[in-house]
Amino acid sequence: MSGALAGLLTGAVGAGKTTAAGRVVGLARDRGLVCGGLLAPAMLDRGGSKIGIWGVDLLTGERRTLARTDRELGGPSLGIYSFDGAALTWAVGVIEGAVGACDLLIVDEIGKLELWSHAGLAPVVPRLASGEVRRSLALVRASLLAELQARLSQVEQVVFELNAENRDGLSPHILARLFGAREFDNSG
């Protein structure tokens, strides 16, 4: 093994994986760690309904629209989502540009588009599998976990299962496990 450790944050659709990853980023930054990569929070309309997906560059704070449910964006489509091809290319560049420039690389998320259509963030998966990224946290829905684990079989992995019971306290545990420091873990 290369010393690389791939954290896989998994849970059901809507469980709060992106929110938990955002908390990990906040805790890591509080402790002086540099976080890079991409978070993909929900884009909500005025009534609070999800109408799309943002992409947020963790190194610069830049935000772009990755996908929408209410309009065609000209890129790949999957289910109710129409993706912006240029924004997906930007997102891959964000993640690849963060490799080597951060202590913790966040990849939100590896899904059907990547694993089944070889689109979206798919170019990032071989980079994670190569072991060149020392510490990463990739988000993946529970139904796709085994498939992503198989693709990352060359590196050590640790799975974090997010659910209603552990949602609020999982982030310090993730940070502690990825960096081997008990002071990050205040869950007992």
Side-chain angles (χ1 to χ4, degrees):
M1 291 285 168
S2 63
L5 182 58
L8 303 176
L9 178 56
T10 189
V13 174
K17 295 181 294 293
T18 298
T19 299
R23 289 178 182 155
V24 170
V25 169
L27 290 169
R29 286 177 172 163
D30 288 348
R31 286 152 177 87
L33 298 172
V34 176
C35 297
L38 188 83
L39 271 181
M43 179 186 298
L44 305 175
D45 67 14
R46 293 180 192 194
S49 297
K50 186 173 180 178
I51 58 167
I53 303 168
W54 291 107
V56 180
D57 180 336
L58 290 171
L59 288 175
T60 69
E62 183 178 352
R63 174 184 291 233
R64 294 197 186 178
T65 300
L66 296 179
R68 295 291 298 244
T69 62
D70 59 346
R71 67 180 78 141
E72 173 61 41
L73 297 180
S77 293
L78 186 68
I80 61 171
Y81 293 101
S82 171
F83 288 86
D84 181 318
L88 289 173
T89 299
W90 167 82
V92 169
V94 163
I95 295 167
E96 290 185 339
V99 172
C102 62
D103 300 305
L104 178 61
L105 181 72
I106 305 292
V107 181
D108 185 6
E109 89 178 51
I110 303 298
K112 292 178 183 178
L113 190 64
E114 290 73 22
L115 297 174
W116 296 356
S117 300
H118 306 289
L121 305 179
V124 174
V125 175
R127 301 278 312 260
L128 295 174
S130 74
E132 72 180 290
V133 179
R134 270 197 54 72
R135 294 293 179 269
S136 62
L137 183 63
L139 285 62
V140 60
R141 65 183 60 180
S143 63
L144 299 173
L145 176 62
E147 190 168 347
L148 181 57
Q149 285 181 295
R151 296 208 188 176
L152 300 180
S153 64
Q154 300 295 332
V155 296
E156 183 180 354
Q157 303 166 27
V158 59
V159 175
F160 304 101
E161 295 182 34
L162 184 70
N163 56 51
E165 291 79 38
N166 70 5
R167 163 183 1 229
D168 294 331
L170 187 59
S171 297
H173 174 71
I174 292 171
L175 198 58
R177 180 61 181 89
L178 290 176
F179 289 92
R182 295 197 58 64
E183 67 267 17
F184 293 142
D185 189 358
N186 59 13
S187 65

